[in-house]
Amino acid sequence: MPIVIQKDLPAFDVLTKENIFVMPTNRAATQDIRPLDIAIVNLMPTKIETETQLLRLLGNTPLQVNVTLINTASYKSRHTSESHMSKFYKSFADIKNRTFDGMIVTGAPVETMAFEDVDYWHELTEIMDYARKNVTTTLYICWGAQAALYHFYGIDKIPLPKKKFGIFPTVALKPTEMLTKGLSDVFFVPHSRHTVINEKEVYKNTELTVLAKSDEAGITLIKSNDNRNIFVTGHVEYDRDTLKTEYFRDLNKGLKIESPKNYFADGKCDKVNMSWTSTATILFSNWLNYYVYQATPYDIESINQGE
């Protein structure tokens, strides 16, 4: 089944060329089906690239998905045109009276800042509180995961001595959990961050379950025990060249940065070993199937309003 997006969204042509089944909104309106409604709160500066990455994964399942892109009104994007934002994005004020089957909150390049110092922190906490009551399940990615763990459970982040950068082998601690079904004994996850969550506080919290961990990158996958919140500390959605772009961007800025670990094939910077594709596909498919599709009511308005 397709993912339903506007035909003039840049991701539409990209995904069509990749044989991802996308459907324009006008055609979807004639379908006699109740699609899943997924909201994406895109906090990344590279919004068009992030849209494409996430839509690719959402479109690679047998479920029909309607997508609503959301931006924060309290912060104006400096890296994406105003015309793109006004045409394809809605503000929280536009959607706060709606309900969604699922929501994705992306990472953001603000992890070295205190949460409260982020320009849109107050608005983001409103969105997270809203999601807890009006969304069946929310997937928080990288800094988004750190922000939600801090807001809901008081779990802070800890600065790393150097950037955690590369592709890291990861093991499912509970392989029979719905979210990790189908993953290999050792699977790979991209990470690109300067901080780590306080793992002691995660393990102490009886409302959370750690699902996967990497010896090098730390806790990678967490869920709340009510299945309403999923936290991924890495970036399984990244494209083949995303870390390569970040690496050369930082080098060109004169920043001290090591080559991303386990990423370049044979140590050559022109060839990438993309080892995380199946990880991303399985995680997103499992999330959509088990935590969204099988958990959400047919009448979306009847999503439990209580916490």
Side-chain angles (χ1 to χ4, degrees):
M1 296 295 286
I3 184 166
V4 180
I5 54 178
Q6 292 173 249
K7 194 170 184 178
D8 47 355
L9 189 73
F12 191 97
D13 287 339
V14 175
L15 299 178
T16 299
K17 291 174 183 176
E18 295 178 9
N19 291 320
I20 301 293
F21 189 5
V22 290
M23 180 184 290
T25 51
N26 60 340
R27 180 183 170 192
T30 67
Q31 302 285 307
D32 186 16
I33 191 172
R34 206 292 250 172
L36 296 177
D37 278 317
I38 304 295
I40 299 176
V41 182
N42 190 355
L43 305 175
M44 292 290 280
T46 52
K47 296 198 184 299
I48 294 175
E49 290 83 353
T50 302
E51 294 159 14
T52 304
Q53 291 166 3
L54 293 173
L55 293 173
R56 177 183 293 115
L57 292 167
L58 292 173
N60 197 30
T61 73
L63 303 171
Q64 183 167 313
V65 178
N66 280 345
V67 172
T68 300
L69 298 171
I70 299 170
N71 70 316
T72 53
S74 49
Y75 179 79
K76 185 176 180 179
S77 175
R78 298 196 302 265
H79 299 86
T80 307
S81 71
E82 187 173 343
S83 62
H84 181 89
M85 299 303 297
S86 61
K87 186 172 187 177
F88 298 114
Y89 279 76
K90 296 184 182 298
S91 69
F92 176 53
D94 295 326
I95 61 91
K96 66 181 181 181
N97 294 319
R98 291 179 56 185
T99 52
F100 289 91
D101 300 298
M103 177 179 281
I104 299 171
V105 179
T106 73
V110 293
E111 59 185 298
T112 58
M113 300 172 61
F115 291 111
E116 293 84 358
D117 291 340
V118 175
D119 289 341
Y120 48 81
W121 178 249
H122 177 70
E123 184 178 3
L124 182 59
T125 60
E126 285 187 314
I127 293 172
M128 291 190 288
D129 289 338
Y130 154 87
R132 222 171 178 181
K133 296 181 179 180
N134 298 282
V135 179
T136 303
T137 183
T138 304
L139 178 65
Y140 294 96
I141 298 173
C142 199
W143 182 82
Q146 293 183 345
L149 288 167
Y150 177 74
H151 178 59
F152 291 139
Y153 307 105
I155 298 171
D156 212 340
K157 59 186 187 295
I158 300 170
L160 291 168
K162 64 178 181 179
K163 186 177 183 179
K164 185 63 62 178
F165 193 42
I167 314 299
F168 297 96
T170 307
V171 175
L173 303 180
K174 296 182 180 295
T176 59
E177 278 285 338
M178 294 180 292
L179 195 64
T180 53
K181 279 184 177 181
L183 289 172
S184 301
D185 289 345
V186 178
F187 56 94
F188 294 87
V189 176
H191 290 264
S192 177
R193 49 189 168 80
H194 295 273
T195 58
V196 64
I197 54 174
N198 188 324
E199 296 192 356
K200 290 182 179 178
E201 294 301 312
V202 173
Y203 282 114
K204 282 169 53 178
N205 195 299
T206 58
E207 297 180 43
L208 300 171
T209 298
V210 177
L211 299 181
K213 186 174 181 180
S214 165
D215 287 342
E216 297 178 80
I219 292 175
T220 304
L221 194 59
I222 308 165
K223 77 176 184 71
S224 61
N225 293 335
D226 62 3
N227 292 336
R228 297 292 293 271
N229 297 305
I230 306 294
F231 311 93
V232 183
T233 63
H235 282 285
V236 296
E237 79 282 2
Y238 270 5
D239 285 333
R240 176 184 297 274
D241 291 330
T242 305
L243 291 186
K244 180 178 178 180
T245 300
E246 289 186 17
Y247 176 57
F248 284 109
R249 177 202 64 196
D250 289 353
L251 284 179
N252 291 334
K253 288 181 178 178
L255 301 176
K256 185 178 180 181
I257 184 170
E258 296 179 1
S259 174
K261 194 169 184 179
N262 304 319
Y263 178 65
F264 291 122
D266 302 323
K268 298 178 181 179
C269 293
D270 59 342
K271 187 176 181 181
V272 171
N273 176 26
M274 192 171 184
S275 56
W276 64 95
T277 306
S278 59
T279 301
T281 299
I282 290 170
L283 282 178
F284 270 75
S285 295
N286 286 350
W287 176 66
L288 272 179
N289 181 22
Y290 296 114
Y291 294 82
V292 182
Y293 175 69
Q294 295 192 30
T296 198
Y298 183 83
D299 178 7
I300 193 173
E301 298 300 327
S302 66
I303 289 175
N304 180 14
Q305 298 297 302
E307 295 189 14

